[in-house]
Amino acid sequence: MRTTPAPGQRGGRPPLPGFEHTFYPGHMRAAEPVHVWVDLTNSWGPRSEPGVLIGWRKGNLGWEGWVIRVSTYSTGNGSAVHVVQSWIPAPLIRRAATDPPRADISQHKRIGG
């Protein structure tokens, strides 16, 4: 039995790809993760971004959701993607209308091909 991590491992676990950050803010109301759409322009169209709502808090201007969302931006030669986590005013968050994928994978659309 190995008592020390192997090279490239943390505490005996395989290394994680990229960057990992875990935190638990004490002022956040507990919530189950929910797939949502976020639109910072409040126009609800092609600029809406997918996200995951993970908590709520009552702010000075009303309720806000802690959302991790995926945003795209122009690089000048195309576009790139980044992940943003922030408090978003509740009116700019909408629950996604889609249900989770079904167990029958033959009914799923393939991604990227």
Side-chain angles (χ1 to χ4, degrees):
M1 179 176 190
R2 180 181 289 271
T3 57
T4 58
Q9 292 190 341
R10 306 172 318 160
R13 296 178 298 181
L16 295 170
F19 176 76
E20 176 186 349
H21 179 74
T22 305
F23 68 98
Y24 302 96
H27 61 282
M28 189 167 73
R29 189 179 222 180
E32 290 290 321
V34 176
H35 177 210
V36 296
W37 289 101
V38 175
D39 196 319
L40 300 178
T41 66
N42 202 22
S43 62
W44 300 103
R47 293 186 181 216
S48 298
E49 301 170 336
V52 177
L53 172 70
I54 58 174
W56 290 103
R57 74 175 181 186
K58 180 80 168 170
N60 292 337
L61 300 176
W63 284 97
E64 300 173 319
W66 185 250
V67 177
I68 300 170
R69 60 189 167 86
V70 178
S71 181
T72 58
Y73 62 95
S74 174
T75 63
N77 291 331
S79 63
V81 176
H82 64 251
V83 176
V84 180
Q85 57 182 337
S86 61
W87 290 105
I88 305 289
L92 303 180
I93 303 169
R94 290 189 182 171
R95 186 181 193 112
T98 59
D99 292 326
R102 296 187 339 210
D104 181 6
I105 62 171
S106 66
Q107 301 299 314
H108 296 179
K109 293 181 181 176
R110 253 184 107 174
I111 296 175

